[in-house]
Amino acid sequence: MKNLKILTHFTLLVSLLISCSIKAQNSTINIKKTDIMDTKNQEIVNVALMYIKDGEESRFEKYKKKGGAILEKYGGKIERIIKPTMLAEGEMEMPDEIHFASYPSIEAFNQFNEDPEFIKIRNEYAIPALKDISIFTSKNTNFEFKKEVGDTSKTYGVALIYFNEGEKYIKQFEDYHDEVCAIMPEFGTHFERFIAPFQSKGNIERPDEIHRFYFDSMEGLQQMGTDERMQALFPKRDASLKNLYFFIGEASL
């Protein structure tokens, strides 16, 4: 019963955690693949949900090490690796790892993926080690927020967000946006990334936005879920989302 109660708190909190991105949604909800031209000279963040074959963990670790070294040649880096421990919302097979890799530009992103040495490493290590992968190539939203950087001691949340179509849903978020964002810092919630995918590969539908955040403590997260002010906001958001996948996990990087 205790675990069920915690899971319920996670589920209730998800939409509130993501609602602080509303000021960015006007420009990102309907992003299409053709918007790739708008990413010139902008930072690119690649998000990959990795499903590793049993017994191939060692091979995959070699891929991360060798591929990461080549990535740095192009000014990129693997900025965060989350290992999910719970799928708190949605229904899908939980990935073994979620990777966030950043690139200084779409040009650097393309050059890296076309690098002959990287292609060789990918074919030798990644492809044999993975049973499945979904990739979302993303750009930053225009939402202004205080970006904070956690570490491997923190608990992380990753949300794949799918909005219902229609301006009324954006307005619905706006109605309580300021209230939510004023409350959450009291409970130690910190935001690292608000990004909008513009192209994808794999079986998982491309989300409208992906958010990454971390918590100072699980106790703070649970307390936020029972806060009366937060509880009063839950009904306002329920009809706004078409779908949502929310992972809780630990960072290995």
Side-chain angles (χ1 to χ4, degrees):
M1 290 298 295
K2 182 179 179 181
N3 289 336
L4 178 60
K5 185 177 181 181
I6 292 173
L7 179 59
T8 301
H9 289 166
F10 284 151
T11 302
L12 291 172
L13 283 169
V14 172
S15 292
L16 292 169
L17 289 168
I18 64 177
S19 69
C20 288
S21 67
I22 185 60
K23 294 178 181 177
Q25 291 167 10
N26 290 326
S27 63
T28 60
I29 287 180
N30 295 315
I31 285 177
K32 301 182 184 299
K33 190 171 182 178
T34 53
D35 286 338
I36 191 169
M37 298 303 294
D38 297 334
T39 62
K40 187 174 182 180
N41 298 322
Q42 291 186 29
E43 181 186 39
I44 297 297
V45 181
N46 213 39
V47 183
L49 277 63
M50 309 280 199
Y51 297 82
I52 305 170
K53 294 177 182 176
D54 290 340
E56 293 291 348
E57 292 82 4
S58 178
R59 187 197 298 264
F60 189 65
E61 288 299 315
K62 291 179 181 178
Y63 163 70
K64 289 193 291 187
K65 182 177 180 180
K66 293 176 180 290
I70 298 174
L71 177 60
E72 292 177 358
K73 291 168 48 178
Y74 295 93
K77 66 177 181 178
I78 301 175
E79 67 173 29
R80 185 71 67 206
I81 297 176
I82 306 296
K83 293 189 175 183
T85 57
M86 176 189 296
L87 180 60
E89 180 70 17
E91 295 184 5
M92 71 158 67
E93 180 183 1
M94 193 161 63
D96 296 290
E97 296 184 2
I98 303 176
H99 289 206
F100 290 80
S102 61
Y103 306 78
S105 65
I106 191 65
E107 293 81 11
F109 170 78
N110 290 331
Q111 290 168 5
F112 168 70
N113 281 283
E114 295 166 1
D115 184 289
E117 185 179 359
F118 172 67
I119 292 173
K120 180 181 178 181
I121 290 171
R122 183 180 62 197
N123 292 339
E124 184 176 352
Y125 294 97
I127 292 178
L130 293 173
K131 62 181 179 181
D132 200 5
I133 183 173
S134 287
I135 302 172
F136 308 110
T137 307
S138 312
K139 64 181 181 180
N140 291 311
T141 71
N142 60 1
F143 174 57
E144 295 183 3
F145 67 101
K146 181 182 178 182
K147 181 179 178 180
E148 298 180 89
V149 180
D151 54 45
T152 56
S153 69
K154 305 298 184 181
T155 296
Y156 281 79
V158 176
L160 309 185
I161 303 154
Y162 304 79
F163 293 103
N164 276 325
E165 295 183 6
E167 291 294 325
K168 66 178 182 179
Y169 299 112
I170 296 178
K171 179 62 169 61
Q172 185 171 321
F173 269 116
E174 289 176 336
D175 287 343
Y176 63 87
H177 164 265
D178 290 339
E179 293 179 79
V180 172
C181 292
I183 297 170
M184 288 189 297
E186 297 178 23
F187 298 94
T189 298
H190 306 270
F191 297 95
E192 282 196 331
R193 279 289 185 189
F194 286 90
I195 53 178
F198 58 83
Q199 63 182 19
S200 63
K201 296 179 181 178
N203 297 320
I204 300 173
E205 179 186 0
R206 186 179 74 200
D208 295 300
E209 291 192 359
I210 299 175
H211 299 172
R212 187 178 82 230
F213 35 86
Y214 66 92
F215 315 107
D216 286 341
S217 70
M218 295 303 294
E219 291 77 15
L221 177 60
Q222 293 166 27
Q223 290 169 6
M224 184 165 62
T226 58
D227 183 86
E228 291 182 358
R229 296 166 297 172
M230 300 289 275
Q231 292 279 344
L233 295 171
F234 293 150
K236 298 181 181 180
R237 60 95 209 273
D238 289 342
S240 299
L241 298 181
K242 178 177 67 176
N243 199 4
L244 170 68
Y245 301 112
F246 179 47
F247 303 97
I248 296 289
E250 307 300 329
S252 63
L253 178 66

